């Protein structure tokens, strides 16, 4: 049996309070780091753990931290990406609502490692409970000197601020988030320079996802070898999987990286609804290409899913059964990306607009021969030609649906109706 | 605290006043219900920033309303996980019982009905946000009970 790490406090009563967190060993990692480790030692521990970013791209966290210039002559910033907008994803909300101190300890350790004294947590504005709990937790942590001018009596100085988003998926893209934090419209910046070198107010800035930061206290406490011992060596650690859609037991599951998608869906989440068969699973939020039922043996880690033509992304696992029309699902997903496109680049703004029109007409039985080729052409025009990864995600997902469920698209066009209605 | 005091306290968290526009708009919307032009101008004046910058953000972000909304803003998620759990049926039901189309407000100003993108609570799909609260695992019966409790 796998012992939960990130969710170990979640079912304890009042798990969001400081006293509960402390009773479970909370803030001991911070005390240990301040006592025993230099900032570089902490970076080294995280590097050796092979922790990779849980926001979706899987970039090695320790390496990102080591890119922050030591002598910048400018303040350095830490930003926590708590914008969580990827449809199918809810893990960061649950960490912040139920165990906010775990995030705060991770923030403090990360800030110590990179030499930042200010952190901004960018939370989507809808997450009212998470915002309240985190603000409460920050106040409690300050009282006990886990945050403040002299953290635990050391000369490490650290402040955390909550910054609320206001309903725009693109703010989750890290450079759009920086624009938003600077008080501008959230439109992505060109990379490089990466934020680690020039980020918030042009200062060196590390941006990490909530779950990424929540892993750090455990790595400091239990060591990198322990962390690497969980799941595949190149993509290790405990992992939060968000199960939703047409499945018996939707919810948040913590299991090792690399667990087979089939085991996750069928054993842990209880499999399909009564009388139904699973048709497909989206493994990593709607940016991740769909996997048909016969591909469910794939391991849920960055490398295995990439090799299978999909991605781990935010680990938002959306289960789709045989009662559902894949054209309808694809249309809804492309509509989402079109709605959230920031409009900065033409292939994303115009290409998605066009794709939505074609998809809608196919779904309502008014598709024409040649429509599928047109969709493929649009995907080709978008993929690799946009400013940020939003356009790529939309194109990759649509391509996969066209490839794996072509017969459903063709049936709509030939029968001039949706076969599922 | 007055609106000005709240905004000034929020602004102290940033080295640059422009960063405080978003938090200031959140505060102003909480105080005024929505963000008409004069309120935007007041925000700009308190922060000492360009009025254009404030307008720009108030119109870019979907949680900011420059037009009034109903007392209860029913925000039904119709993204994929909720769609798979039949959010459409709930939308149709809400439109029927409230006698408005999505995007509309009831004549008594009580309810505004919108559909929104994923609320990040797909484990309890289908989900609707009303004010600050999430209501999950909804069906027609629960929706009716919820509307009743709000009225
Ligand atoms: N969690 C969520 O709600 C969502 C997650 N995503 C995920 O986002 C991913 C794409 O994210 P991006 O930030 O565009 O990916 P990316 O690969 O450009 O960057 C990933 C991280 O590594 C850093 N990085 C990469 N190369 C670097 C270098 N040479 N030097 C310093 N830092 C470097 C970046 O700054 C960033 O923090 C997708 O894979 C998708 O899964 C997308 C939408 C929503
Ligand atoms: C359109 C788009 C939306 C994104 N949304 C999120 C998000 O909501 N949360 C998140 O952590 N990362 C999101 N990302 C990824 C971030 O850009 C970035 O890679 C991540 O925050 C880095 O943190 P990590 O290394 O800890 O994963 C998004 C990327 C794109 C392209
Ligand atoms: S790909 Fe889309 S979301 Fe990203 S910068 Fe271009 S228009 Fe904006
Ligand atoms: S899809 Fe409705 S809450 Fe996520």
């Amino acid at each position: 049996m796998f012992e939960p790490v990130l969710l170990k406090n979640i079912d304890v009563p009042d798990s969001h309070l400081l006293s509960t967190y402390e009773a479970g060993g909370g803030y001991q990692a911070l005390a240990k780091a301040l006592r025993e480790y230099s900032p570089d030692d902490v970076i080294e521990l995280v590097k050796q753990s092979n922790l990779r970013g849980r926001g979706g791209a899987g970039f090695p966290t320790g390496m990102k931290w080591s890119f922050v210039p030591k002598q910048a002559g400018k303040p350095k910033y830490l930003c926590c990406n708590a914008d969580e907008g990827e449809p199918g994803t809810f893990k960061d909300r649950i960490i912040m609502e139920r165990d906010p101190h775990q995030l705060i300890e991770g923030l403090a350790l990360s800030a110590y490692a990179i030499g930042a004294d200010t952190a901004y947590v960018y939370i989507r504005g809808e997450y009212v409970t998470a915002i309240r709990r985190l603000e409460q937790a920050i106040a409690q942590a300050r009282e006990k000197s886990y945050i403040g001018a002299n953290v635990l009596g050391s000369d490490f100085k650290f402040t955390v601020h909550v910054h609320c988003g206001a309903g725009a998926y693109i703010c989750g893209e890290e450079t759009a988030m920086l624009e938003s934090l600077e008080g501008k419209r959230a439109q992505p910046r060109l990379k490089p320079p990466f934020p680690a070198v020039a980020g918030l107010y042009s200062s060196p800035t590390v941006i990490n996802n909530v779950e990424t930061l929540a892993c750090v206290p455990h790595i400091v406490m239990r060591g990198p070898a322990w962390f690497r011992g969980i799941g595949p060596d190149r993509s290790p650690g405990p992992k939060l999987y968000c199960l939703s859609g047409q499945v018996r037991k939707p919810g948040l599951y913590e299991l090792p990286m690399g667990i087979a998608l089939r085991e996750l869906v069928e054993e842990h989440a209880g499999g399909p609804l009564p009388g139904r068969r699973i048709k497909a699973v989206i493994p990593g939020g709607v940016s991740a290409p769909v996997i048909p039922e016969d591909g469910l043996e794939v391991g849920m880690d960055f490398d295995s899913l990439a090799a299978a033509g999909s991605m781990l992304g935010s680990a938002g696992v959306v289960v789709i059964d045989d009662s559902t029309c894949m054209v309808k699902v694809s249309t809804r997903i492309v509509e989402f990306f079109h709605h959230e496109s920031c409009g900065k680049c033409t292939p994303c703004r115009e290409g998605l607009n066009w794709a939505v029109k074609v998809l809608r007409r196919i779904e309502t039985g008014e598709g024409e021969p040649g429509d599928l080729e047109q969709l493929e052409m649009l995907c080709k025009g978008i993929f690799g030609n946009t400013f940020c990864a939003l356009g790529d995600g939309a194109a990759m997902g649509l391509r996969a649906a066209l490839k794996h469920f072509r017969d459903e698209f063709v049936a709509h066009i030939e029968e001039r109706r949706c076969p599922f209605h | 605290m007055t609106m000005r005091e709240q905004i000034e306290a929020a602004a102290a968290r940033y080295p640059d006043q422009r960063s405080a526009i978003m938090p200031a708009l959140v505060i102003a919307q909480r105080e005024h219900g929505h963000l008409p032009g004069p309120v935007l101008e007041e925000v700009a004046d308190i922060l000492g920033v360009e009025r254009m910058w404030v307008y720009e953000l108030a119109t870019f972000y979907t949680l900011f309303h420059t037009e009034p909304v109903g007392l209860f803003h029913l925000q039904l998620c119709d993204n994929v996980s909720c769609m798979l759990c039949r959010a459409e049926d709930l939308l149709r039901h809400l439109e029927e019982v409230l006698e408005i189309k999505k995007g509309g407000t009831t004549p008594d100003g009580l309810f505004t009905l919108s559909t929104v993108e994923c609320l990040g609570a797909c484990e309890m799909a289908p989900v609707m946000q009303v004010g600050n609260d999430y209501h999950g695992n909804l069906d027609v019966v629960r929706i009716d009970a919820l509307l009743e409790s709000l009225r």
Side-chain angles (χ1 to χ4, degrees), chain A residues 52-61 64 79-86 91-92 169-175 177 188 191 207-213 287 302 314 337 388-391:
Chain A
R52 292 170 65 178
R54 300 323 197 209
F59 194 82
T61 305
K64 180 151 73 181
C79 293
C80 173
N81 193 339
D83 196 50
E84 194 159 69
E86 179 75 3
K91 63 193 178 65
D92 300 338
Y169 168 73
I170 194 60
C171 291
E173 196 283 333
E174 56 176 12
T175 61
M177 172 172 295
K191 296 194 277 195
I207 298 152
N208 275 127
N209 172 261
V210 173
E211 184 188 353
T212 311
L213 291 167
S287 302
F302 292 108
S314 60
F337 285 118
C388 86
L390 183 144

Side-chain angles (χ1 to χ4, degrees), chain A residues 125-138:
Chain A
E126 293 89 342
Y127 280 1
V128 178
T129 306
I131 292 165
R132 205 182 54 230
R133 292 259 167 96
L134 192 65
E135 280 176 339
Q136 220 172 47
I138 291 169

Side-chain angles (χ1 to χ4, degrees), chain A residues 188-211:
Chain A
R189 299 176 182 171
L190 208 56
K191 296 194 277 195
F194 284 93
V197 178
L200 188 62
Y201 312 120
S202 305
S203 283
T205 304
V206 161
I207 298 152
N208 275 127
N209 172 261
V210 173
E211 184 188 353

